[in-house]
Amino acid sequence: MTLRSCKGTITKNNAKLDKCRFSGGLTIQAKNVTITRSLVEGKVGATYLTDWSLGGLKLIDVEIDGGGGVDPNGEAAIGSNDYSCLRCHIHGTGRGANMENNVTIRDSYLHGWVYTEGAHQTAIGSNGGGNFEVVHNNLECQSKGCSSALSLYGDFKPINGALIEKNLFNTDGGYCTYGGSTDAKPYPIGTNIKYVDNLFGKKFGPKCGYYGPVATFEMHDGNEWRGNRWQDGSGNVKPQA
């Protein structure tokens, strides 16, 4: 479809934008913005004016293309609070999507990260927070700087409330996913973290990640590990703390 040029800073609450090209990235300074069938050339972020919240932003059928550049501050293509992605295609940046609070990512493809020295790159990552839904996505991380396809670290604060369901993981990093629920000091215990019916691929190696498929997942309050298996049909994947 033909895209029209749209302003990269949105300040109107409840704005609805369709078929836009945001050539310099996208800054959200409003609540309940909906963007459909559009292209963001750069990254999506909030500012101090909204206390760094994306205010319930909804991206539907949106591509975020970093163009092979890396944000000098190490920020992700989109993050970190109060947004949802449905059928998003995110690629060409240093990192994919960052999650802190109230994030939903569904039916999306995140891949193609640009190597950043010293970075812990991921398709989707969190350093703490909760109310996450990561459902039916293709999550891939391949570069010299990848840690995993999905990293739930919980190193800044606990992870509490994450549904990780029906995703495909592939990486050349250490593990395909870090499960966010270790009680190893100094990291806090993660709770209500559910991994359900995910597939672990062998695109970059026989263990999914270099060391294995999953680390730092433990059965604390509300945590669940069910139906997770190898994509090639070779059996179930069991967590390792």
Side-chain angles (χ1 to χ4, degrees):
M1 65 181 66
T2 300
L3 300 178
R4 59 192 175 94
S5 179
C6 295
K7 292 182 179 180
T9 299
I10 300 176
T11 58
K12 182 179 179 181
N13 291 341
N14 305 306
K16 295 183 179 181
L17 298 170
D18 185 46
K19 293 195 271 189
C20 281
R21 180 190 298 272
F22 302 97
S23 59
L26 179 60
T27 301
I28 304 298
Q29 297 179 355
K31 294 182 178 180
N32 301 317
V33 174
T34 300
I35 297 172
T36 56
R37 300 187 297 177
S38 296
L39 170 64
V40 180
E41 297 174 320
K43 67 182 184 68
V44 179
T47 73
Y48 70 94
L49 294 174
T50 59
D51 196 25
W52 306 104
S53 169
L54 290 170
L57 171 68
K58 294 180 181 178
L59 301 181
I60 304 171
D61 300 312
V62 170
E63 180 178 3
I64 304 175
D65 182 358
V70 176
D71 185 88
N73 298 315
E75 295 182 1
I78 184 171
S80 295
N81 293 287
D82 309 312
Y83 70 91
S84 63
C85 259
L86 175 64
R87 297 187 300 274
C88 289
H89 181 199
I90 303 176
H91 61 103
T93 62
R95 293 190 295 123
N98 197 56
M99 306 187 299
E100 186 173 358
N101 291 295
N102 309 318
V103 176
T104 296
I105 301 174
R106 287 178 173 263
D107 303 328
S108 297
Y109 183 27
L110 293 84
H111 70 107
W113 316 119
V114 183
Y115 171 63
T116 307
E117 185 175 358
H120 296 280
Q121 292 174 284
T122 59
I124 299 178
S126 176
N127 295 99
N131 193 24
F132 306 145
E133 290 189 9
V134 180
V135 178
H136 196 242
N137 303 289
N138 188 346
L139 305 181
E140 186 174 299
C141 192
Q142 182 191 25
S143 84
K144 296 178 181 179
C146 285
S147 291
S148 72
L150 171 66
S151 290
L152 303 179
Y153 288 135
D155 49 356
F156 295 168
K157 58 184 177 181
I159 303 275
N160 183 10
L163 175 62
I164 313 300
E165 183 176 12
K166 296 180 181 176
N167 301 284
L168 172 61
F169 303 126
N170 278 290
T171 190
D172 63 356
Y175 293 91
C176 260
T177 186
Y178 286 84
S181 56
T182 181
D183 61 0
K185 295 181 179 180
Y187 304 117
I189 293 173
T191 54
N192 300 304
I193 302 170
K194 303 180 187 299
Y195 278 76
V196 180
D197 295 334
N198 297 286
L199 295 178
F200 289 78
K202 300 179 180 180
K203 184 174 182 179
F204 305 116
K207 298 179 182 179
C208 195
Y210 182 82
Y211 298 110
V214 55
T216 67
F217 182 91
E218 298 174 355
M219 295 304 292
H220 298 299
D221 292 348
N223 290 355
E224 182 178 356
W225 185 274
R226 173 170 52 86
N228 301 295
R229 60 197 187 277
W230 293 105
Q231 184 189 16
D232 65 4
S234 58
N236 293 329
V237 173
K238 297 181 180 180
Q240 54 193 98

